[in-house]
Amino acid sequence: GGLDLAAGAGVWHVSNGGTRLIGDIEAFETANDPDAFEGTQWKDQACEEDPSQGFTAGPESNPYHLTALTGSTVLVGDAAGNTVLSVEKNGTVDWVAVLTPPTDGNGYRFLKTAENDPNIDCYVQPVPTSVAIGPDGDYFVGELTGAPAIPGWSRIWRIESGATNVVCPSPQCTMFADGL
């Protein structure tokens, strides 16, 4: 998991009582914050501020679920980062896909305004909570929506095997199921 500003977020190898940091997700999220700065750039970092929960404006990370892609690579559903990441045994971290908020007829579903600026729109966040590899090698990513979790707004994405740096939806990342 990750604390405020992604502190401590990482993928660790644990064996025989020893631990070793394999993928420094905190450093990656701090340097890149893909849901804020890649693709449609839908998220404003100010939307992460929540004094009641101890979060300040900026990048956030919560590596929530991972699955082995190969013997040296895992896919990570980063719940607070709204991304799917790849982490290699050699320490390389990259984003596979950035999820975008659920939409209504007028665009992204609106949640609130930023705590520190009522002119910044904060949208319902697409929170990846599961990652699986399908029989054809494609990646399936299940999401919940960020608070409030509204029934019917969650989706499952299908990302083409080998895809990197894609935004969902796109030709390489399609909605497999919605209305969940």
Side-chain angles (χ1 to χ4, degrees):
L3 303 173
D4 187 33
L5 298 177
V11 173
W12 296 81
H13 180 259
V14 179
S15 69
N16 299 328
T19 61
R20 178 172 57 93
L21 179 65
I22 292 177
D24 190 341
I25 295 176
E26 174 185 356
F28 177 82
E29 182 71 13
T30 300
N32 298 282
D33 198 9
D35 59 345
F37 299 117
E38 300 291 345
T40 58
Q41 301 178 10
W42 63 267
K43 185 174 80 174
D44 191 305
Q45 288 183 330
C47 293
E48 297 299 339
E49 186 169 14
D50 186 347
S52 70
Q53 299 295 314
F55 291 103
T56 52
E60 298 294 343
S61 179
N62 180 8
Y64 188 81
H65 186 265
L66 61 84
T67 192
L69 180 60
T70 68
S72 61
T73 304
V74 295
L75 295 177
V76 178
D78 187 342
N82 306 305
T83 54
V84 177
L85 305 173
S86 67
V87 177
E88 297 181 26
K89 193 173 184 178
N90 68 7
T92 301
V93 179
D94 197 7
W95 62 282
V96 172
V98 171
L99 307 184
T100 55
T103 59
D104 59 21
N106 299 313
Y108 295 145
R109 291 185 187 264
F110 177 74
L111 175 63
K112 62 176 185 159
T113 56
E115 295 281 336
N116 59 354
D117 187 341
N119 296 314
I120 296 174
D121 290 337
C122 300
Y123 302 105
V124 172
Q125 295 197 27
V127 179
T129 56
S130 60
V131 181
I133 309 299
D136 58 358
D138 287 350
Y139 320 144
F140 289 84
V141 179
E143 70 174 25
L144 295 176
T145 55
I150 306 293
W153 288 8
S154 295
R155 304 160 293 187
I156 297 174
W157 296 98
R158 182 183 196 151
I159 303 169
E160 287 183 11
S161 176
T164 59
N165 303 147
V166 300
V167 176
C168 300
S170 68
Q172 288 183 297
C173 182
T174 56
M175 195 178 317
F176 182 75
D178 67 351
L180 306 172

